[in-house]
C-alpha cells in the first residue's frame, strides 16, 4: 500500500486544517494521521487515492487557511494504518508558528445567528474554526484555549461535544462558546451603573437612535458609535473628542446600502466583504447626503461592513443607514480595551457603554485600505491582517531581527525564519502610553512567534526618537548588532520587496524623515539596491520656521517659501490681507516669522513634499490649520478632484550643490499669481498638485537614466494622494520606464519597520 509523508506550511494552525484533512481522508478512504508539528502540519497518508488526497488538501482547504508550501515524499512503511486520526499537537520549538489574525464572522455562523431554531440564535459571541477572534485573545502559544482569554469561559457540555468532534465545524475552535458558557454583554450609563435589560443590544440601538453616543467594546478593541444622519450629534462627538475634522469611518449593514451613497468598484466590494473586513476608503457618490461634518471637505469616506456578531445584531434593530464607528481612544493614545479604563477615560465622551467581560489580550485597530489605480494600498495594516507574515526568505532565512520603525504611525517588525511579522498599528510613540503599548506589543509578538533572542536591532537614524533609545537598550540586552536605517531608504526597500525588484530609482515623498545630512527629508529621489542608497535629487530645501509649529500652521511655511519672492513689506501685506487668520497670533506672528527668517533664527531646513502640499493648501485658503495628520493635503486632493481644467504651472529646476532640485518657491509663486488673477481654486489646486508630481517624476526619470535603471517607483505617505500617484505613473511610463508602487503594504510610515528589517537582514546576509 502506498504511504506518503506530507508537510504543509503557512497559516495552517487554528484554522480547522486538521479536521478538514480528517474529513477529506475519511471521504477518500485514506488512513494514517495528521498533527501540528511546530510551525507546520504533518500528515502520514496511506491508501489508494493518495494523489486525489493531496490535490484536495489545497483545493478544499478551510477559508482562513493559507498554504505557503506542500511537500510530500513516498516513505517505506511496514505499518498498516486502519483508521485516520488527529494526533495531539507537538511543539517543535525550532519552528515559527503562524497565528491567524482576527477574522470577520463567517457565512455559516451568520446563518446560525439569524436562525430562530439554532441554539446560538442572536448570541453576540458566536464563532467557529472559520471565524472570530485569534490574535486579540491569544496570550501565548501553542494556540490552545487555556492560553487564550477564552480560558475564563469553560465550555459547557454541548459546546464540549462540538469541540471534540472532528466532523464538527467547531472542532478545536478555541473561541467557540454559547450563551450558557460564553462571555456576556452589559450596558452601562455615564455613571458606570449597569442598565439591566434582557436584550442589551436592542436597548443600545434605541439609545443610539435617540441621539446618544455609545462606547462599544468589540473583538480587538473599542469603538465610539453614533448616528450618521444628525449633524448635531456628530459635531457633539467631535467636540467631546477634541477631534474637529478628522474623518470618521462609518459602518453599514450591507454593500447595497453603501452603494446608495458611495461609488464601489469590484475590488473595493471584495475587500469590504472579505474575512479581513477592513475600512475601505471609497468615493462619495452624487447621492451622498450625510452631513459634511462626517468627513469635512473630503471627496471620499471610510466605510466598513459588520465583522463581529455584535455589529450584525446592531443593524437588526435599526433603520439607520449607517453608524459612525471610530476607534475609542484619547487622541494620540492607544485604543482603550479594558472595561474600567473605558468607563473612566471615556466618561464625558460616551453617554452609554456596551461592554463585555472577555479580556482583550492584544488590541488591534481596524485596518484601513484604499485602492489606487487597482493596487491595494494599506493606510493602516492591522486587524484581519496582523500577524500574517510577509515572506522575506529572499533576504534572510536564519537571522532574528527586531525593527522598531520611526516615530509616528508606528509599527514594529519581527523577522524570524525568513518570515516578517509586522505588528498591528501602534501609533505615535512620542506619547507615553503608546510607547508602553509598543513595549507590550514587542513582548506579545515575540511570545507568539517564539522569539527569545535577536541578532539585529534596526532603528531609524533620528537620534532623538524614543524608538532609537529603546533600540540601544535592546541591542545591549540581546547582545545584538544595532543598525541605523535612513527613513526613505526603508520606504524604498518595502517598495522593492512588494514588486520583487532588487534595484530601483524611487520617489520617497512624505511628511518627514531624518536624512543623513541631519536635514528633514521628504521629497527625495533615491537610488537603492536594497542594502545601500544614494540621494540623487530632491525638492528645493526650504526653511521651516519653528519646525513642528509650521506643520500645524502651514501658513508659516508658506511665508518662508515666498520670502525671497517679494520685498518684506509686500510680503507682510500679502499675508496680512489673505492669511492673517491662519496664524495663531495673527499679525503679530506674521511679523515675528518675517523677523525669524531675516535673522535665520530657529529655521530648520526641510525638503518635505507633504509640507509643500500643505503650503499649497493654505495658499488657496483650503486648510489653514492642521488638526489631523495629512489634513491639508487630503483636502487639497479633494478640491482638485473636482477640476477638469488643464491649467499648467511651469517647472523650474536648479542645483543645490551637485544635486538637482525642483524649485518649490517657483510653484508657490505661480499659485499666488493664479489666485490673484481670480482663477478657480479647484483648477489651481489640480495644477499645483500636478506640478509637484511631474517635477518629482522628471527628476526620477533623469536619475534612472543616469543610473541606467529601468524601474521607477514612488512611495511615502504623499502617494496616498491618487492624483499625484497617477500623474507620476503617467509621466514615468510615457518616458518608457516601468512604474511600481506599494501593493499589499503601507505607502506610509506603517511599513517603515518592515523596510528596516529587510535592509538590515539583507546587509548581514
Ligand atoms: Zn464561523
Ligand atoms: Zn456552551
Ligand atoms: Zn515616511
Amino acid at each position: 500500500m502506498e504511504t506518503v509523508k506530507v508537510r504543509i506550511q503557512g497559516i495552517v494552525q487554528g484554522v480547522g486544517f486538521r479536521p478538514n484533512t480528517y474529513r477529506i481522508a475519511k471521504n477518500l478512504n485514506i488512513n494514517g494521521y495528521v498533527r501540528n508539528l511546530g510551525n507546520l502540519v504533518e500528515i502520514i497518508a496511506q491508501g489508494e487515492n493518495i494523489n486525489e488526497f493531496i490535490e484536495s488538501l489545497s483545493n478544499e482547504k478551510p477559508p482562513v487557511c493559507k498554504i505557503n508550501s506542500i511537500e510530500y515524499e513516498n516513505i517505506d512503511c511496514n505499518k498498516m494504518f486502519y483508521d485516520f486520526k488527529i494526533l495531539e499537537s507537538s511543539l517543535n520549538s525550532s519552528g515559527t508558528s503562524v497565528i491567524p489574525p482576527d477574522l470577520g464572522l463567517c457565512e455559516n455562523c451568520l446563518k446560525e445567528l439569524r436562525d430562530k431554531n439554532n441554539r446560538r440564535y442572536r448570541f453576540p459571541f458566536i464563532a467557529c474554526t472559520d471565524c472570530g477572534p485569534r490574535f486579540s485573545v491569544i496570550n501565548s502559544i501553542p494556540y490552545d484555549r487555556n492560553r487564550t482569554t477564552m480560558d475564563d469561559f469553560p465550555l459547557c457540555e454541548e459546546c464540549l461535544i462540538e469541540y471534540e468532534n472532528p466532523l464538527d465545524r467547531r472542532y478545536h475552535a478555541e473561541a467557540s462558546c454559547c450563551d450558557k458558557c460564553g462571555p456576556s454583554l452589559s450596558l452601562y450609563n455615564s455613571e458606570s451603573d449597569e442598565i439591566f435589560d434582557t436584550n442589551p443590544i436592542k436597548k443600545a440601538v434605541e439609545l443610539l437612535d435617540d441621539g446618544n453616543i455609545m462606547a462599544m467594546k468589540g473583538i480587538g478593541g473599542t469603538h465610539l458609535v453614533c448616528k450618521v444622519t444628525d449633524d448635531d450629534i456628530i459635531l457633539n462627538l467631535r467636540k467631546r473628542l477634541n477631534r474637529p475634522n478628522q474623518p470618521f469611518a462609518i459602518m453599514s449593514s450591507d454593500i447595497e446600502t453603501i452603494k446608495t451613497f458611495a461609488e464601489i468598484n469590484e475590488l473595493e466590494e471584495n475587500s469590504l466583504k472579505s474575512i479581513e473586513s477592513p475600512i475601505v476608503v471609497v468615493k462619495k457618490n452624487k447621492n451622498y447626503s450625510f452631513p459634511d461634518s462626517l468627513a469635512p471637505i473630503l471627496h471620499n469616506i471610510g466605510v466598513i461592513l459588520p465583522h463581529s456578531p455584535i455589529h450584525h445584531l446592531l443593524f437588526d434593530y435599526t433603520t439607520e443607514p449607517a453608524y459612525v464607528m471610530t476607534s475609542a481612544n484619547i487622541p494620540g493614545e492607544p485604543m482603550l480595551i479594558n472595561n474600567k479604563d473605558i468607563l473612566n477615560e471615556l466618561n464625558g465622551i460616551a453617554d452609554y457603554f456596551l461592554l463585555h467581560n472577555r479580556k482583550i489580550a492584544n488590541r488591534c485597530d481596524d485596518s484601513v485600505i484604499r485602492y489606487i489605480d487597482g493596487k491595494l494600498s494599506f493606510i493602516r495594516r492591522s486587524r484581519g491582517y496582523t500577524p500574517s507574515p510577509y515572506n522575506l526568505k529572499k533576504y534572510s532565512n536564519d537571522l532574528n531581527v527586531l525593527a522598531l520603525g520611526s516615530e509616528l504611525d508606528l509599527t514594529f517588525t519581527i523577522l524570524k525564519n525568513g518570515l516578517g511579522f509586522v505588528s498591528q498599528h501602534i501609533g505615535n510613540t512620542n506619547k507615553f502610553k503608546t510607547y508602553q503599548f509598543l513595549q507590550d506589543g514587542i513582548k506579545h509578538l515575540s511570545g507568539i512567534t517564539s522569539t527569545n533572542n535577536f541578532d539585529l536591532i534596526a532603528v531609524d537614524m533620528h537620534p532623538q526618537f524614543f524608538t532609537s533609545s529603546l533600540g540601544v537598550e535592546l541591542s545591549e540586552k540581546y547582545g545584538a548588532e544595532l543598525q541605523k536605517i535612513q527613513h526613505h531608504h526603508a520606504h524604498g526597500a518595502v517598495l522593492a520587496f512588494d514588486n520583487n525588484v532588487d534595484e530601483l530609482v524611487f520617489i520617497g515623498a512624505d511628511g518627514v524623515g531624518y536624512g543623513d545630512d541631519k536635514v528633514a527629508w521628504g521629497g527625495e529621489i533615491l537610488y537603492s539596491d536594497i542594502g545601500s542608497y544614494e540621494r540623487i535629487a530632491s525638492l528645493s530645501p526650504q526653511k521651516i520656521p519653528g519646525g513642528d509649529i509650521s506643520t500645524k500652521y502651514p501658513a508659516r511655511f508658506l511665508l518662508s517659501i515666498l520670502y525671497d519672492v517679494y520685498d518684506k513689506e509686500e510680503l507682510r501685506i500679502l499675508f496680512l490681507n489673505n492669511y492673517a487668520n491662519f496664524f495663531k497670533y495673527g499679525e503679530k506672528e506674521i511679523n515675528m516669522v518675517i523677523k525669524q527668517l531675516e535673522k535665520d533664527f530657529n529655521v530648520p531646513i526641510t525638503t518635505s513634499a507633504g509640507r509643500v502640499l500643505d503650503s499649497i493648501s493654505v495658499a488657496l485658503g483650503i486648510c489653514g490649520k492642521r488638526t489631523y495628520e495629512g489634513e491639508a493635503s487630503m483636502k487639497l486632493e479633494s478640491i482638485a478632484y473636482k477640476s477638469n481644467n488643464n491649467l499648467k504651472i511651469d517647472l523650474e529646476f536648479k542645483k543645490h550643490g551637485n544635486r538637482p532640485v525642483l524649485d518649490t518657491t517657483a510653484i508657490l509663486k505661480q499659485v499666488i499669481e493664479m489666485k490673484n488673477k481670480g482663477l478657480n481654486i479647484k483648477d489651481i489646486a489640480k495644477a499645483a498638485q500636478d506640478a509637484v508630481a511631474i517635477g518629482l517624476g522628471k527628476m526620477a526619470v533623469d536619475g534612472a537614466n543616469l543610473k541606467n535603471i529601468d524601474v521607477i517607483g514612488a512611495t511615502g505617505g504623499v502617494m496616498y494622494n491618487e492624483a499625484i500617484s497617477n500623474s507620476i505613473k503617467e509621466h514615468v511610463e510615457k518616458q518608457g520606464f516601468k512604474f511600481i508602487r506599494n501593493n499589499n503594504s503601507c505607502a506610509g510610515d506603517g511599513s517603515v519597520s518592515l523596510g528596516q528589517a529587510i535592509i538590515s537582514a539583507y546587509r548581514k546576509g
Side-chain angles (χ1 to χ4, degrees), residues 105-106 108-109 127-131 169-170:
L105 195 68
C106 75
N108 286 325
C109 285
C128 73
T129 337
D130 298 336
C131 71
R169 206 170 87 246
R170 294 192 169 85

Side-chain angles (χ1 to χ4, degrees), residues 487-488 491 510-513 716-717 747-749 752:
H487 183 94
H488 302 94
H491 273 304
D510 57 9
V512 60
D749 287 1
V752 166

Side-chain angles (χ1 to χ4, degrees), residues 19-44:
N20 193 60
T21 304
Y22 176 90
R23 283 188 287 270
I24 296 170
K26 283 283 172 195
N27 277 339
L28 295 171
N29 288 322
I30 297 285
N31 293 331
Y33 64 81
V34 56
R35 63 171 175 171
N36 286 340
L37 192 65
N39 62 333
L40 49 82
V41 168
E42 185 184 75
I43 302 166
I44 299 294

Side-chain angles (χ1 to χ4, degrees), residues 104-105 223 250-259 268-274 276-280 302-308 311-312 315 325 366 383:
L105 195 68
H223 286 116
I250 61 176
M251 180 183 279
S252 280
S253 64
D254 52 71
I255 207 90
E256 283 64 41
T257 310
I258 294 180
K259 281 179 177 169
E268 291 161 345
E269 178 166 343
N270 289 342
S271 284
L272 280 166
K273 289 178 174 166
S274 70
E276 290 86 3
S277 187
I279 293 171
V280 184
V303 295
I304 186 169
L305 288 174
H307 49 273
S308 87
H311 299 142
H312 282 280
F315 287 99
M325 279 283 162
D366 290 329
R383 180 185 51 72

Side-chain angles (χ1 to χ4, degrees), residues 366-415:
D366 290 329
S367 293
V368 186
I369 66 168
R370 181 174 179 185
Y371 280 95
I372 293 180
D373 199 28
K375 297 269 193 285
L376 170 70
S377 192
F378 280 100
I379 295 171
R380 186 197 292 155
R381 184 182 181 274
S382 213
R383 180 185 51 72
Y385 301 93
T386 309
S388 300
Y390 289 98
N391 185 342
L392 303 182
K393 287 191 197 304
K394 70 182 271 200
Y395 307 111
S396 162
N397 256 319
D398 50 4
L399 288 167
N400 285 4
V401 183
L402 172 63
L404 293 171
S406 51
E407 184 177 47
L408 304 178
D409 219 355
L410 185 110
T411 64
F412 66 91
T413 293
I414 289 178
L415 167 60

